[in-house]
Amino acid sequence: MNISRAKLHVQSGATPKKGPLAGVALFTALTSLITGKAKAVDPKIAMTGEITLSGAVMPVGDMKEKILAAHRAGIKKVILPKENERDLEDVPEDVRNELKFVPVETIEEVLKEALDMDLPKPVVLSFEENGFSATQNV
């Protein structure tokens, strides 16, 4: 297979969408695939959120509906954007008590929770009198 011709095709489906929601899930799935991570994501974990190019997890709408659907599907853990944590008060208490919620701010937190994977710290380039120097950002 010629890798340059491979394409990722995501079906839009018949259900209208209100905006991007699957960035976190797609990034997690692609990371698992690309790294050859032996551990797949637990099928009892649901996740939602969009990500920025810098890796920040952004909030999404309709959280109550997403959580209720996840609960009906037998999900036990929900990874959600930290900014959506306030939406949990709209979810019935009995449903909240049966689910574990993991609020995240970065894609690194998502990968740690979903794949038990730590990303390396980014390398920062700086210019010094002798040229460029690379330092590990901590």
Side-chain angles (χ1 to χ4, degrees), residues 88-99:
L88 296 179
E89 63 191 38
D90 297 334
V91 177
E93 186 177 357
D94 61 320
V95 173
R96 284 194 318 257
N97 291 337
E98 292 182 31
L99 296 171

Side-chain angles (χ1 to χ4, degrees), residues 40-101:
V41 177
D42 183 341
K44 297 291 183 184
I45 295 178
M47 59 186 81
T48 189
E50 194 49 68
I51 56 172
T52 66
L53 291 175
S54 61
V57 176
M58 304 303 292
V60 295
D62 300 324
M63 281 305 298
K64 177 182 176 183
E65 292 77 9
K66 289 176 181 64
I67 291 169
L68 292 175
H71 181 257
R72 282 191 305 272
I75 296 298
K76 298 298 178 195
K77 183 190 295 187
V78 178
I79 300 172
L80 70 155
K82 178 114 173 113
E83 290 183 46
N84 282 119
E85 201 171 15
R86 65 180 176 265
D87 297 323
L88 296 179
E89 63 191 38
D90 297 334
V91 177
E93 186 177 357
D94 61 320
V95 173
R96 284 194 318 257
N97 291 337
E98 292 182 31
L99 296 171
K100 177 182 178 189
F101 296 99

